Amino acid sequence: MNDKSIEKLELNKILAYCADYAGLQATKKLLLECKPSCDLDEVREKLNTTEEADKLLYKYGIGKIECFTDVTDLLIRASKKSTLTCGELLEVNALLRSARVAYTSVDKIADDEIVNFKGFANKLYFDKFLEDDIQSKIISVDKVSDFASDKLYSIRSRIKLLNERIRTTLYDYVTGETSKYLQDNIVTLRNDRYVIPVKAEYKNKVRGFVHDRSQSGSTFFIEPAYVLEMNNELISLTIDEKEEVDRILKELSSRVGLLSEKLCADMEVLAEMESYFARAEYCFNKKCTKPEVNKNGRINIIKGRHPLIDMDKVVPVSIELGKDYNFLLISGANTGGKTVTLKMSGLFCLMACCGLFIPAASGSSVAVFDEIYCDLGDSQSIEENLSTFSSHITTIKHICDKVNSNSLVLMDEPGGGTNPDEGQALAKAIVEYLLSKDCKGIVTTHYSSLKEYAYSVKGIENASMEFDSSTLKPLYSIKIGLPGASNALAISRRLGLREDILNKALSYLSEGSRNFENIVRRAEDSRVEAEAKLSEAMALQRTWQKKLNEVNDKIEKLNKEKEKISITARAEARRIIAEKTSRAEEILQEIEEIFKKEEISEAELIKVRTLKNKLKNTAYAEESRQEKVTDYKPANKDNIKEGLLVFVIPMQSSGKVLSVNKNKGEAEILVGSLKMHLAFNKLKIIGEEIKSTQSKVKVVKKVTPNAPVLEINVLGMTVEEAIYEVDNFIDKAVLDNLEEVKVIHGVGTGKLKNAIAQHLKRHKNVESFRLGKYGEGETGVTFIKLK
């Protein structure tokens, strides 16, 4: 890929921004010197590696490469048996740590899609033992730890004790009777030996060795004789300490030297790994996506944004090339974005070839070209004595000589800088030649003849940068299929050029040019208006479709609810019928058992009558329950009267009207043995009361399978009747192996509820019982758990 095109398309700026995300100098250099690849497999490999880096950073939270300095020279010296300093060994240790952390971070990720980074990690060498030794033995850039070796620890311990002895001895000297000979009562060092400052006139009073004298000559620094041996021993220990430190540093340096080649290779691998991390971070911050790449010259950029324009200001552009046509001819107003679109297309191809994602929507694709040729901007060259036109022609000559079927050509207004008639003729000929070479390209122009040419020739398509004719401002978006008007006079008018000049310029235009520009302008205005109406119609369609979907959802939901209610109602009806049938059969069985006896006592007759009444009440309750509540008439002051049977809505039960108070709008109702005052709107009229007769009731016994009964309703019964019914109910539930049953007794005065509770406490088959919770009937029902 030629450097001139890379510079024109500003790939170097993108790589510089990308390098800012790198911490290693080697990585920055690697990115700044990165060249686009022309090999499709290599490009795909680079893009896949960048994708892996993105996943490691933003999915698995892997940190980037830990920083270290370039230690190539240190490693070469170590390999040649040189001893490294403490600071130099710490620099090498940073490399060892970086390699180890990079390896372990990648190796622990269990993801089959992480392939290339696993390959990088497997190339890394690290020595944890050497790393730990350097870390523990060297504590700063100029100091070795006391614990680096047992010998060093022993030497330094002895040095410390000896220093204390010398200081103590000298302190006694400077604070005793001899202190009168001293210039200052202090102990100092001269030539690494402890000395005391003695006044010049008393130098002969202190036995020892003179090591130094002050500049004024008034003070002599003397080493007293009685600390001479201790100072000698201290010097000897210091020499031993230095030798031991040198030995430790030499040993560590030797171990580093043996690994020098592997560590040099580590630096290259780590720099390459970080270069992909830097790519991924740059692409993440620029909201880039991974493009598809091909070798057939197809470019399909969806909502592309030039990466060098502020993301908050750039207008996304979609552009396609290489499928139905090889060349795109972009026209339209000045400052409308033609050149930016042209450069963006070439730059995206170069970015992908460097392993960078592109700032475009997902699904975009770019081609891997053998070469990208550019003729952009003002190419005037003073050094080569070339005018703008001459420089352009020189560039175009080079392009025409080198171009092939796998090249991309980007030309910004060819034929400019000379006579317009000759310029547009030349531009037309150049485009025709490039079309014959079967290459791909994008050309910008203002020439009308070139726009007309694009209509008549296969392989090239017109495109226009959209322009708002009402505000005379560009919209920075591209429309493929139609040419765009230059609108030079309109823009000049908006910028304030004198009207008389504009009118004069208009008169100088040829009739053909005026007609063509007017046709293009009207076609563009009509298209913009049609697209606006289409957009409005589609928005309206989406709104109504959304509302229609909501209505359909509600209808479907209501149908489901209706079906659910219907199923529940049928199940409840079957349960009630089974319960009443079972109860009727039990009553009949009891009556039959009594009448089988030869003699019937008075008590048994009373019981038969009681059972008979229960049977009638059961039949009546079943009959009334099977009536459709929806057929009942709402009660009001005109149709309600004493003696009527009514349906009590709050209790979901029937009752008898005892009295009516039309002024208050309420009636006194008897439900079983419970009397209550209720408003008319809580009642529905069932009909006239059925008079009891003494005629014999013929009971027909139907044999039906007994179904388990889960609840019993004792509303309206006396305490004795209720207790009797509850006992029978519990006995049958035990026979049916039921675990829990329910007794409906209502709230009322609480007498019936309390009596049932007292009875259940003593019942042999009852394990426990409780009142209903909210939503279960609360204190109007009792749940019984059976043993």
Side-chain angles (χ1 to χ4, degrees):
M1 205 71 69
N2 66 83
D3 293 336
K4 195 170 184 179
S5 295
I6 291 174
E7 182 182 354
K8 287 283 186 180
L9 296 175
E10 300 177 292
L11 175 65
N12 53 340
K13 293 183 180 180
I14 303 299
L15 294 174
Y17 283 127
C18 191
D20 289 340
Y21 292 95
L24 304 177
Q25 290 300 319
T27 305
K28 293 180 183 291
K29 182 179 179 182
L30 199 63
L31 286 169
L32 292 173
E33 295 177 354
C34 178
K35 297 296 182 183
S37 173
C38 299
D39 184 87
L40 180 62
D41 292 335
E42 184 180 350
V43 171
R44 284 176 176 163
E45 192 75 6
K46 287 184 175 182
L47 290 172
N48 289 338
T49 309
T50 302
E51 187 177 32
E52 289 182 19
D54 179 84
K55 184 179 286 189
L56 290 171
L57 284 175
Y58 301 109
K59 180 178 180 180
Y60 297 112
I62 299 298
K64 296 198 297 182
I65 303 301
E66 291 194 8
C67 286
F68 56 88
T69 57
D70 188 344
V71 294
T72 305
D73 292 341
L74 303 182
L75 294 174
I76 293 173
R77 283 170 46 206
S79 67
K80 295 179 179 179
K81 308 299 182 181
S82 294
T83 300
L84 303 180
T85 65
C86 294
E88 290 171 340
L89 284 169
L90 288 176
E91 290 181 17
V92 173
N93 203 51
L95 170 60
L96 285 167
R97 172 179 169 79
S98 183
R100 176 179 58 81
V101 171
Y103 173 83
T104 54
S105 297
V106 175
D107 185 64
K108 69 181 181 181
I109 301 299
D111 188 336
D112 293 338
E113 294 182 356
I114 305 298
V115 177
N116 294 334
F117 264 84
K118 289 283 181 74
F120 288 144
N122 291 332
K123 294 178 183 178
L124 292 173
Y125 178 84
F126 59 92
D127 188 332
K128 185 69 166 60
F129 297 108
L130 177 58
E131 180 189 341
D132 290 342
D133 282 348
I134 295 175
Q135 187 70 28
S136 61
K137 292 180 179 181
I138 300 177
I139 58 177
S140 70
V141 295
D142 56 1
K143 186 173 178 60
V144 174
S145 171
D146 293 349
F147 305 99
S149 71
D150 293 339
K151 183 177 180 180
L152 183 62
Y153 179 78
S154 175
I155 292 171
R156 285 183 174 174
S157 297
R158 290 167 61 192
I159 289 174
K160 182 178 180 182
L161 291 173
L162 191 57
N163 275 321
E164 291 176 356
R165 283 176 54 201
I166 294 173
R167 285 180 176 276
T168 301
T169 302
L170 291 177
Y171 179 77
D172 293 339
Y173 190 91
V174 299
T175 57
E177 293 182 359
T178 55
S179 62
K180 60 186 178 181
Y181 303 136
L182 305 181
Q183 190 75 19
D184 295 299
N185 294 336
I186 60 172
V187 177
T188 185
L189 284 170
R190 284 293 186 275
N191 300 322
D192 295 329
R193 302 178 76 88
Y194 284 100
V195 296
I196 54 177
V198 180
K199 294 177 182 178
E201 60 268 28
Y202 298 121
K203 67 178 181 177
N204 294 323
K205 297 289 185 179
V206 178
R207 292 181 59 207
F209 297 92
V210 177
H211 284 275
D212 201 359
R213 184 179 67 179
S214 65
Q215 290 183 353
S216 63
S218 62
T219 303
F220 283 82
F221 295 95
I222 299 175
E223 177 186 8
Y226 50 81
V227 296
L228 176 64
E229 289 301 324
M230 287 189 288
N231 270 333
N232 288 341
E233 185 180 357
L234 182 62
I235 294 298
S236 176
L237 288 173
T238 303
I239 293 171
D240 291 342
E241 178 194 21
K242 184 178 183 305
E243 289 177 349
E244 180 62 14
V245 168
D246 289 343
R247 186 193 67 79
I248 293 170
L249 294 178
K250 185 175 182 180
E251 180 191 353
L252 293 174
S253 300
S254 176
R255 291 169 65 185
V256 169
L258 295 174
L259 304 176
S260 59
E261 290 185 7
K262 295 179 179 178
L263 295 181
C264 284
D266 275 358
M267 286 192 291
E268 294 180 5
V269 174
L270 291 171
E272 189 170 3
M273 291 175 72
E274 192 190 39
S275 73
Y276 285 103
F277 280 130
R279 287 178 173 93
E281 196 169 355
Y282 170 81
C283 294
F284 177 83
N285 290 327
K286 285 291 184 179
K287 295 182 173 58
C288 299
T289 60
K290 180 184 176 183
E292 296 294 329
V293 290
N294 61 81
K295 198 69 175 177
N296 54 21
R298 284 201 60 186
I299 296 175
N300 183 25
I301 298 171
I302 306 170
K303 295 182 179 179
R305 298 169 280 107
H306 198 291
L308 296 179
I309 302 177
D310 189 341
M311 285 194 298
D312 297 329
K313 297 179 180 179
V314 66
V315 179
V317 174
S318 297
I319 191 168
E320 189 173 3
L321 182 71
K323 182 181 179 182
D324 298 325
Y325 45 86
N326 290 340
F327 263 77
L328 199 61
L329 186 70
I330 305 177
S331 54
N334 290 315
T335 70
K338 297 189 299 297
T339 304
V340 171
T341 301
L342 179 141
K343 294 175 71 173
M344 179 193 74
S345 303
L347 177 60
F348 280 8
C349 294
L350 293 178
M351 288 176 66
C353 291
C354 291
L356 286 164
F357 295 173
I358 62 174
S362 179
S364 298
S365 62
V366 293
V368 177
F369 293 101
D370 292 341
E371 192 64 79
I372 296 178
Y373 299 103
C374 298
D375 179 36
L376 307 172
D378 185 1
S379 302
Q380 186 178 33
S381 175
I382 296 175
E383 292 86 353
E384 297 179 13
N385 195 26
L386 294 174
S387 66
T388 299
F389 177 75
S390 300
S391 182
H392 276 298
I393 294 302
T394 301
T395 302
I396 291 172
K397 174 187 177 298
H398 174 74
I399 293 172
C400 292
D401 290 342
K402 299 291 185 180
V403 72
N404 59 40
S405 60
N406 199 36
S407 300
L408 176 66
V409 179
L410 305 173
M411 286 189 178
D412 190 18
E413 300 186 23
T418 187
N419 179 281
D421 291 335
E422 292 182 348
Q424 61 184 327
L426 184 60
K428 185 175 176 181
I430 292 169
V431 171
E432 186 175 358
Y433 175 79
L434 294 174
L435 281 172
S436 68
K437 301 298 288 185
D438 199 31
C439 61
K440 311 298 183 295
I442 302 175
V443 178
T444 66
T445 189
H446 289 287
Y447 291 142
S448 299
S449 62
L450 207 54
K451 301 173 191 178
E452 294 173 2
Y453 174 75
Y455 270 125
S456 58
V457 176
K458 186 178 180 181
I460 185 170
E461 184 66 69
N462 270 305
S464 62
M465 302 306 298
E466 296 194 274
F467 184 81
D468 190 339
S469 59
S470 59
T471 61
L472 301 179
K473 292 183 178 179
L475 300 176
Y476 304 107
S477 58
I478 193 169
K479 192 69 179 179
I480 297 176
L482 288 174
S486 297
N487 293 292
L489 298 181
I491 293 174
S492 299
R493 181 175 285 107
R494 180 172 64 86
L495 295 175
L497 189 62
R498 292 173 58 89
E499 194 67 29
D500 54 343
I501 296 176
L502 293 172
N503 292 333
K504 199 69 173 176
L506 184 62
S507 68
Y508 288 148
L509 284 176
S510 66
E511 185 176 353
S513 297
R514 286 200 301 271
N515 290 339
F516 182 80
E517 288 294 318
N518 288 334
I519 291 171
V520 170
R521 192 177 296 109
R522 285 197 297 271
E524 190 171 349
D525 291 343
S526 298
R527 179 186 57 78
V528 171
E529 184 180 355
E531 286 187 351
K533 290 182 178 180
L534 177 61
S535 178
E536 183 180 349
M538 291 181 70
L540 190 61
Q541 181 185 10
R542 286 193 296 269
T543 301
W544 282 108
Q545 186 63 46
K546 182 180 178 181
K547 291 182 178 179
L548 180 61
N549 291 339
E550 290 176 356
V551 171
N552 289 335
D553 290 343
K554 288 180 179 179
I555 290 173
E556 185 178 357
K557 186 177 180 181
L558 288 173
N559 288 335
K560 288 180 179 179
E561 287 293 328
K562 180 180 177 182
E563 180 65 22
K564 183 178 178 182
I565 292 170
S566 177
I567 293 171
T568 304
R570 288 196 295 271
E572 181 67 12
R574 286 194 295 270
R575 186 191 66 78
I576 293 171
I577 292 170
E579 177 186 345
K580 294 303 178 182
T581 303
S582 176
R583 182 59 183 148
E585 289 178 351
E586 291 177 3
I587 294 172
L588 287 172
Q589 184 68 31
E590 289 186 45
I591 294 172
E592 288 177 0
E593 291 295 330
I594 292 171
F595 280 106
K596 284 179 181 179
K597 297 180 180 180
E598 293 181 358
E599 293 183 4
I600 301 173
S601 64
E602 186 66 27
E604 288 174 329
L605 287 174
I606 293 172
K607 184 177 180 181
V608 168
R609 284 196 294 272
T610 301
L611 292 172
K612 179 182 176 182
N613 290 334
K614 287 181 180 179
L615 187 59
K616 287 181 179 180
N617 291 337
T618 301
Y620 171 74
E622 181 62 29
E623 181 182 338
S624 63
R625 197 183 290 268
Q626 289 176 355
E627 295 181 30
K628 293 183 178 179
V629 177
T630 53
D631 293 340
Y632 298 160
K633 297 179 181 179
N636 55 56
K637 64 181 181 178
D638 297 327
N639 61 8
I640 193 168
K641 61 182 179 178
E642 294 181 12
L644 284 179
L645 288 175
V646 292
F647 182 76
V648 181
I649 297 173
M651 297 185 67
Q652 292 293 298
S653 182
S654 60
K656 179 182 177 183
V657 179
L658 298 179
S659 64
V660 177
N661 188 334
K662 294 186 178 181
N663 293 328
K664 290 186 177 181
E666 64 181 24
E668 185 181 11
I669 309 298
L670 175 65
V671 180
S673 61
L674 182 65
K675 293 180 181 180
M676 61 186 73
H677 291 271
L678 294 169
F680 293 160
N681 60 3
K682 295 184 178 179
L683 304 172
K684 289 190 176 184
I685 304 298
I686 296 176
E688 298 290 340
E689 181 184 6
I690 301 173
K691 302 295 183 180
S692 59
T693 63
Q694 297 299 322
S695 58
K696 294 182 179 179
V697 178
K698 184 178 181 181
V699 179
V700 179
K701 181 178 179 182
K702 294 183 179 179
V703 180
T704 57
N706 290 336
V709 181
L710 299 176
E711 63 180 43
I712 184 173
N713 190 336
V714 296
L715 277 171
M717 295 184 185
T718 63
V719 171
E720 292 76 10
E721 291 174 341
I723 295 299
Y724 177 78
E725 291 296 332
V726 169
D727 278 342
N728 290 332
F729 174 63
I730 291 175
D731 291 340
K732 189 173 188 307
V734 171
L735 291 175
D736 290 336
N737 292 322
L738 299 180
E739 293 182 0
E740 187 177 72
V741 293
K742 179 171 69 173
V743 177
I744 303 171
H745 46 64
V747 181
T749 61
K751 182 179 179 182
L752 186 59
K753 176 188 71 174
N754 295 333
I756 292 173
Q758 292 299 323
H759 181 69
L760 293 176
K761 287 180 182 178
R762 302 187 297 272
H763 202 290
K764 64 179 181 179
N765 292 323
V766 175
E767 181 178 328
S768 63
F769 62 93
R770 63 176 177 83
L771 293 175
K773 299 177 183 177
Y774 179 76
E776 293 180 340
E778 300 182 34
T779 58
V781 298
T782 295
F783 286 83
I784 303 169
K785 187 175 182 181
L786 301 175
K787 292 182 179 178

